[in-house]
Amino acid sequence: MKTPAIILLTLALAVPATWFATRRPPAAGQVASASAARQIAYYQSAMHPWVKSTRPGRCTICGMQLTPVYDGEPGFAAGGDMVSLSQSMVRVLNVQTAEARPRALTRTLTFAGTIDDDARRHRIISAYVDGRVEKLYINHHGAQVVEGKPLFEIFSPTLLLAEREHLTIASEFRPNAAQKLRLLGLTPEQIAALPSKPRDKVTSEILAPMSGTVVNDAIYVGQYVTAGQKLFEIADFSTMWFVFPVYEQDIAWLRVGQTVKVTTPAAPGEIFEGRISFIDPNFDSITRATQVRVELPNPLVEGRRRLLHRLYAEGAVALDAPEVLTVPRSAVVQTGPEAVVYVAHGEGAYGRHVVRLGRRGDAFVEILSGLETGERVVTNGNLLLDGQAEMNRSFAAAPETPLKPVSADRAP
């Protein structure tokens, strides 16, 4: 069954053949001059190179006009690893080549991910002691919390009794009593200020252990809480994480310390720069990806953070590698397990080379084996060459078919 490449090659080869068949015959003097300069060795089918004849005519397989091959020209090779084209065919197919040489391989990778908070600055505030919530200073989701400022006041008989014991026991036992108060939720500064606390005040303030934003709360005035019960969840949004999956073919390009430019639809036109701080060594065999983390500074601007929690974002990483042997990406033909390039050998001959590929850049691809520096590879027209090479290999074992003398109605 004909492949699209073979069909395109047939059309490309048929155009100049038709033109040559229908052009005005040259003058007798011109024919004599050209014959004296070059002698036709034989006629050959461009599509089926094993079909040759000593006389002009048409291919017995596809019906195309036979192409004259002059003395000294290689003709069309019938082997699968070499394809030969006349100079007119080279021009019609617009065959272009480029040199295989060492280059700095560059690539820009883009990723989609989410903006998350720094897990190292994420904290849950639980009740230290049984008691009843008497007053809330932070009473809604998303509120800003300042370290050392009160979160709520609690009435707890256990905590109140421990405070009174600390004030009445001898000084040599106070360090132990202070340790007990710290375990019940008071800070060293609060313990030091207990002597000045009014005697009729029976509630105690619980202070924020860190600054941040309330991402979850489960506390109300009048609520009775027990020790260990979750009350607040606080996250520090001053530094955010851009977390994105990287698939296995791109892992080799990334390393810790690379700069990533992050954009998000929530801040159009703005670019946030950060560096890769962590590449998760736990590869997910289902998604075939691993997680990469970028740290982004997120200062307050007019009372709010520019990057919000759990935003969608995109990142771009400009990558480079030391100089390696490369060819343009368009030179590589890979329709199966093998990667193939076609190398120009001069006089219209192009050899099929199987190569082993390395990393792929934006415009070039690394060649690990199969090519040498300085060889010229086909970058345009290689698909048609590959189609012809595939067909040549299929019919390489077929015997050459000489043409019978053509009749008048089949003569060119």
Side-chain angles (χ1 to χ4, degrees):
M1 183 172 62
K2 291 185 178 180
T3 64
I6 297 175
I7 295 173
L8 290 175
L9 180 61
T10 303
L11 294 175
L13 294 173
V15 171
T18 304
W19 181 79
F20 279 118
T22 57
R23 65 178 179 171
R24 179 180 297 177
Q30 294 175 337
V31 173
S33 175
S35 300
R38 294 195 301 171
Q39 294 294 327
I40 296 176
Y42 55 89
Y43 295 85
Q44 184 180 19
S45 171
M47 292 299 298
H48 304 90
W50 52 89
V51 178
K52 298 179 182 178
S53 175
T54 58
R55 299 182 59 186
R58 297 182 181 275
C59 177
T60 56
I61 298 176
C62 64
M64 284 187 58
Q65 188 78 27
L66 296 181
T67 302
V69 178
Y70 295 92
D71 288 337
E73 286 190 355
F76 301 98
D81 290 335
M82 187 68 68
V83 177
S84 297
L85 300 178
S86 66
Q87 292 303 313
S88 61
M89 293 299 99
V90 172
R91 290 192 296 270
V92 169
L93 297 179
N94 190 26
V95 176
Q96 299 177 11
T97 62
E99 184 182 5
R101 62 181 177 85
R103 299 179 179 89
L105 200 61
T106 60
R107 187 177 183 185
T108 301
L109 295 178
T110 57
F111 305 98
T114 56
I115 301 295
D116 207 346
D117 66 302
D118 188 340
R120 300 166 300 185
R121 297 285 295 166
H122 195 113
R123 186 163 179 173
I124 292 176
I125 310 300
S126 301
Y128 295 95
V129 65
D130 297 349
R132 186 177 67 250
V133 177
E134 296 293 334
K135 183 178 182 180
L136 280 177
Y137 295 93
I138 301 297
N139 58 2
H140 64 90
H141 183 85
Q144 294 296 317
V145 174
V146 179
E147 182 178 359
K149 297 297 182 179
L151 293 173
F152 61 93
E153 288 187 16
I154 187 172
F155 167 68
S156 171
T158 302
L159 180 55
L160 183 61
L161 179 60
E163 291 178 353
R164 299 291 170 83
E165 287 179 353
H166 180 270
L167 294 174
T168 57
I169 62 176
S171 59
E172 60 268 23
F173 298 109
R174 285 187 177 177
N176 293 335
Q179 179 66 24
K180 180 179 179 180
L181 288 173
R182 284 196 293 272
L183 294 176
L184 293 177
L186 298 188
T187 65
E189 292 77 14
Q190 286 178 297
I191 297 171
L194 282 178
S196 60
K197 180 179 179 179
R199 299 291 294 177
D200 58 346
K201 185 174 179 60
V202 296
T203 60
S204 301
E205 292 181 345
I206 301 300
L207 308 183
M210 61 175 283
S211 298
T213 304
V214 175
V215 297
N216 198 5
D217 63 299
I219 181 172
Y220 302 92
V221 174
Q223 178 181 352
Y224 189 85
V225 298
T226 57
Q229 182 177 338
K230 178 180 175 180
L231 304 178
F232 291 101
E233 189 174 350
I234 299 175
D236 182 4
F237 291 161
S238 61
T239 298
M240 302 296 282
W241 287 355
F242 172 53
V243 182
F244 57 92
V246 175
Y247 297 98
E248 52 191 323
Q249 65 267 25
D250 295 327
I251 293 176
W253 288 93
L254 300 181
R255 64 181 184 275
V256 173
Q258 286 176 320
T259 300
V260 180
K261 295 183 178 181
V262 180
T263 58
T264 174
E270 291 192 54
I271 298 177
F272 304 88
E273 286 195 7
R275 295 185 178 275
I276 295 177
S277 61
F278 180 72
I279 300 175
D280 193 347
N282 300 296
F283 186 77
D284 191 329
S285 60
I286 298 177
T287 63
R288 311 303 301 172
T290 191
Q291 297 293 316
V292 175
R293 186 171 73 214
V294 176
E295 294 190 9
L296 300 170
N298 189 28
L300 281 171
V301 178
E302 297 180 356
R304 63 185 295 267
R305 304 286 182 183
R306 294 299 298 138
L307 291 172
L308 304 182
H309 192 206
R310 297 179 182 141
L311 278 178
Y312 168 82
E314 295 179 348
V317 189
L319 309 167
D320 56 12
E323 286 193 353
V324 291
L325 181 62
T326 62
V327 297
R329 295 185 63 161
S330 61
V332 179
V333 179
Q334 191 166 13
T335 56
E338 291 182 334
V340 174
V341 298
Y342 285 86
V343 178
H345 293 282
E347 300 297 331
Y350 300 93
R352 180 180 184 271
H353 288 219
V354 177
V355 295
R356 188 161 64 94
L357 304 180
R359 291 168 293 185
R360 294 178 182 270
D362 290 334
F364 299 93
V365 60
E366 180 183 9
I367 301 297
L368 300 178
S369 64
L371 275 182
E372 299 294 335
T373 300
E375 290 184 306
R376 298 196 68 82
V377 295
V378 178
T379 58
N380 187 67
N382 50 352
L383 291 177
L384 299 176
L385 290 175
D386 189 62
Q388 180 65 56
E390 289 290 339
M391 188 169 58
N392 288 354
R393 280 198 299 276
S394 300
F395 294 97
E400 294 186 359
T401 306
L403 288 178
K404 297 178 180 180
V406 293
S407 58
D409 59 339
R410 296 294 301 272

